[in-house]
Amino acid sequence: MWNDRIEQVKEKRLRHLEGGGDAKIAQQHKNGKLTALERINLLLDEGSFIEIGAMREPAPSQGDVRKSQSLPGDGVYTGWGTIDGRKVCVAAEDFTVVGGTLGVAHAKKIVHLQDLALEMKVPIIFLNDSGGARIEEGINSLSGYGEIFQRHVRSSGVIPQICAILGPCCGGASYSPALCDFIFVVKDISRMFITGPDVVEAVLGSRPTFDELGGASMHSRTSGVATSLYDDEESCLAGIRTLLSFLPSSCSAPVPKRAPAPAGGEGDVPFETIVPDNGRKAYDMHLVIERLMDSGAPLYEIQKNFAANVITGFSYLNGRVTGVVANQPLWLGGSLDCDASDKIARFVRFCDCFHIPLLTLVDVPAFLPGKDQEQKGIIRHGAKILYAYSEATVPKISVILRKAYGGAYIAMNSKTMSADLVYAWPIAEIAVMGASGAVKVLYKKQLAASADPEGEAKRLEKEYEDSFLNPETAEKQGFIDEIILPEETRDRLIAGFDLLANRDGADAGWKHGNIPL
């Protein structure tokens, strides 16, 4: 009896590990994709995966497909393991088994894992590769998505939720990743859309390509749906491991720390060389960030290819994980548009959920003007930044490097938006607008009547700059805490965050969810 039962268990396990069989695994590889188990083994520490629900199958009455084949695991591997020694839960859909489609048993396995991850307060990672809802199970399969979505919302702001799109993810299924905190995509593999080319063609009369509808590059650069874009699955899975190194396991767990390190970047290049004092000249804000943060801890950018006029990401400052938000003068002068507003707001809210302190580097000329932005709702989108910064109770420090004009200055974590500390470099310009624009508005009639309008404009601009475009005025009125020299910036940041470190820690627990913005 024992031997027979043991052999039966071994046989079922082996069949489950073989997925859809050699032919389908070969086809998966031919399509340039890894199998679900290969992905899990690359993602997790070696030998750490412990599967649950391996032998779960659909009820025989649920669809004719069950009569012709056994489906151990029902097309998804669920379980837990470790990444750098830290526990995580993983659900990996197996495209070699009925196209990874979601049926009742498939959904219940994922829901059980979500409940387990939430209860144990560990991150959960989804590796999506599925043809969508299983048609032969009808509305029962669709209801499974509803249960999964509900768990995403319950877990939001409690545990990090990460999803990698490693194949198709279409229709209602795409809302599961959309409810996660981070979405990873891979070139030429990831496809994510609500309606396919056939439907679009039937409704609109023109047929888009799969890449136009839901390709990895499109979602990374245009829609902003994707957080990170990778060239292959191996680097994508490695990227998930790297991201987790910056994140606590839950809102109740401490933020990771590492040994303090000296400043990174080109240490012998002065900030004054990197940042021109001429406000019309662009520069790469990444060079400033590198000089301020620890060496050996390059910025892990979030939505790097989307809304490039702002930078968001994680790095280490004196061994502490720090969320970084910065204007990028190389794109649109670092101004704030609708997409940049959404990007900043969601990142700030994520950091606040998980008690990650925020550093804001300011060089912003304005909210991007124009008819297109107004019609897209820049007022509505821009308000998201105001809400996110005002709501956040994590330590928040801002440094005004150069320009800080108008409503955009207020939005970029100004003192009146509850910033804890605000510093400014000596060349900082804090005002309603730049000198040229201000003079044109304030002295329109005077310039028109002048015998030398150009000369008069320059004189008035100089007068305006001396009176308003300097940090001394803001310092005297308490809108900034100190004018600092560029080389003092890192030390001030370290000291400031050290002072604020105990104000909002893991003992604060859950604050709010991380609603998609």
Side-chain angles (χ1 to χ4, degrees):
M1 174 75 74
W2 267 109
N3 289 338
D4 291 343
R5 291 296 173 86
I6 288 173
E7 289 304 315
Q8 287 175 9
V9 170
K10 286 182 178 180
E11 183 181 347
K12 281 189 174 182
R13 284 182 178 178
L14 180 61
R15 190 165 67 248
H16 174 55
L17 294 175
E18 290 173 346
D22 292 342
K24 290 188 177 180
I25 290 174
Q27 185 62 45
Q28 182 85 343
H29 289 159
K30 184 178 179 181
N31 292 336
K33 300 196 296 181
L34 300 173
T35 66
L37 278 178
E38 288 169 341
R39 291 163 177 163
I40 290 171
N41 291 332
L42 282 172
L43 175 67
L44 300 180
D45 296 339
E46 185 176 356
S48 69
F49 182 57
I50 298 175
E51 188 178 1
I52 54 175
M55 296 300 109
R56 188 156 190 170
E57 296 190 27
S61 60
Q62 292 175 347
D64 293 339
V65 69
R66 309 297 164 262
K67 299 175 181 178
S68 60
Q69 62 180 124
S70 175
L71 300 176
D74 202 33
V76 61
Y77 291 88
T78 55
W80 72 88
T82 60
I83 291 180
D84 293 329
R86 294 170 55 196
K87 289 184 177 63
V88 298
C89 286
V90 180
E93 291 175 319
D94 186 357
F95 195 81
T96 70
V97 176
V98 199
T101 53
L102 184 137
V104 174
H106 183 124
K108 287 188 179 300
K109 286 180 65 176
I110 293 175
V111 165
H112 174 56
L113 187 73
Q114 289 176 291
D115 289 340
L116 186 65
L118 180 59
E119 183 178 357
M120 303 313 297
K121 287 188 168 56
V122 298
I124 186 166
I125 302 165
F126 303 88
L127 305 180
N128 286 26
D129 187 5
S130 170
R134 196 170 296 161
I135 297 173
E136 56 269 25
E137 294 191 25
I139 195 171
N140 291 317
S141 64
L142 291 177
S143 66
Y145 283 123
E147 293 187 37
I148 291 170
F149 299 162
Q150 188 179 97
R151 267 67 175 190
H152 280 304
V153 176
R154 289 179 188 174
S155 298
S156 185
V158 183
I159 57 174
Q161 301 181 81
I162 300 170
C163 181
I165 310 299
L166 303 175
C169 182
C170 311
S174 60
Y175 284 113
S176 174
L179 289 167
C180 290
D181 298 304
F182 303 98
I183 300 175
F184 287 65
V185 293
V186 177
K187 291 179 181 176
D188 303 323
I189 289 179
S190 305
R191 287 181 177 176
M192 187 181 181
F193 46 77
I194 299 299
T195 53
D198 292 341
V199 176
V200 173
E201 184 178 25
V203 174
L204 301 179
S206 60
R207 184 181 182 86
T209 66
F210 280 111
D211 288 338
E212 289 172 332
L213 271 183
S217 293
M218 188 281 286
H219 280 312
S220 174
R221 304 179 193 282
T222 307
S223 73
V225 168
T227 302
S228 302
L229 173 68
Y230 290 91
D231 290 330
D232 52 61
E233 291 193 50
E234 290 82 358
S235 58
C236 173
L237 297 169
I240 294 175
R241 292 179 62 96
T242 301
L243 172 61
L244 279 171
S245 71
F246 294 100
L247 308 182
S249 293
S250 74
C251 65
S252 302
V255 176
K257 291 184 179 180
R258 62 191 295 176
E266 298 293 332
D268 57 343
V269 178
F271 283 109
E272 295 90 324
T273 302
I274 298 173
V275 182
D277 55 9
N278 183 343
R280 293 184 176 86
K281 290 186 177 180
Y283 64 93
D284 189 352
M285 183 65 81
H286 289 99
L287 301 177
V288 176
I289 296 170
E290 287 176 11
R291 287 288 310 279
L292 293 176
M293 311 310 283
D294 292 356
S295 62
L299 182 73
Y300 186 94
E301 280 198 62
I302 302 300
Q303 293 184 297
K304 177 180 180 179
N305 301 313
F306 177 70
N309 38 319
V310 295
I311 298 168
T312 57
F314 302 105
S315 190
Y316 280 89
L317 178 65
N318 200 38
R320 285 195 183 98
V321 172
T322 305
V324 179
V325 177
N327 303 108
Q328 172 57 294
L330 286 180
W331 294 88
L332 300 177
S335 58
L336 301 176
D337 61 358
C338 294
D339 290 341
S341 299
D342 291 354
K343 178 177 174 177
I344 291 174
R346 186 141 203 261
F347 181 76
V348 168
R349 298 196 82 239
F350 176 86
C351 289
D352 191 49
C353 285
F354 294 97
H355 315 291
I356 298 171
L358 282 161
L359 167 63
T360 304
L361 301 175
V362 184
D363 190 349
V364 63
F367 278 100
L368 186 65
K371 179 182 68 176
D372 290 344
Q373 286 297 303
E374 296 291 351
Q375 292 180 351
K376 286 178 67 176
I378 187 62
I379 296 172
R380 174 169 53 87
H381 290 275
K384 297 176 187 179
I385 305 180
L386 308 179
Y387 193 103
Y389 270 124
S390 296
E391 176 188 42
T393 58
V394 293
K396 295 176 290 185
I397 300 179
S398 295
V399 182
I400 301 172
L401 279 60
R402 202 169 58 171
K403 289 181 285 189
Y405 295 161
Y409 148 66
I410 299 295
M412 290 297 292
N413 196 35
S414 64
K415 201 63 173 286
T416 53
M417 291 295 293
S418 75
D420 296 296
L421 294 168
V422 178
Y423 297 109
W425 285 2
I427 61 169
E429 300 177 352
I430 307 169
V432 174
M433 62 177 67
S436 177
V439 165
K440 290 176 182 176
V441 172
L442 295 173
Y443 303 104
K444 182 178 180 180
K445 292 182 179 179
Q446 184 174 329
L447 291 173
S450 173
D452 181 14
E454 186 175 341
E456 181 68 0
K458 288 182 179 179
R459 184 188 70 79
L460 291 170
E461 286 174 16
K462 180 65 167 61
E463 185 178 288
Y464 184 87
E465 289 171 356
D466 292 341
S467 300
F468 301 105
L469 292 187
N470 61 76
E472 286 83 3
T473 301
E475 185 180 36
K476 289 176 183 177
Q477 297 179 17
F479 294 118
I480 61 173
D481 292 292
E482 184 183 7
I483 299 170
I484 60 175
L485 303 179
E487 62 266 25
E488 298 172 332
T489 307
R490 177 176 160 87
D491 289 340
R492 288 292 194 282
L493 294 175
I494 291 172
F497 281 122
D498 187 56
L499 170 69
L500 300 165
N502 295 326
R503 199 197 64 210
D504 183 285
D507 55 349
W510 186 84
K511 297 185 191 180
H512 51 75
N514 187 29
I515 186 172
L517 294 176

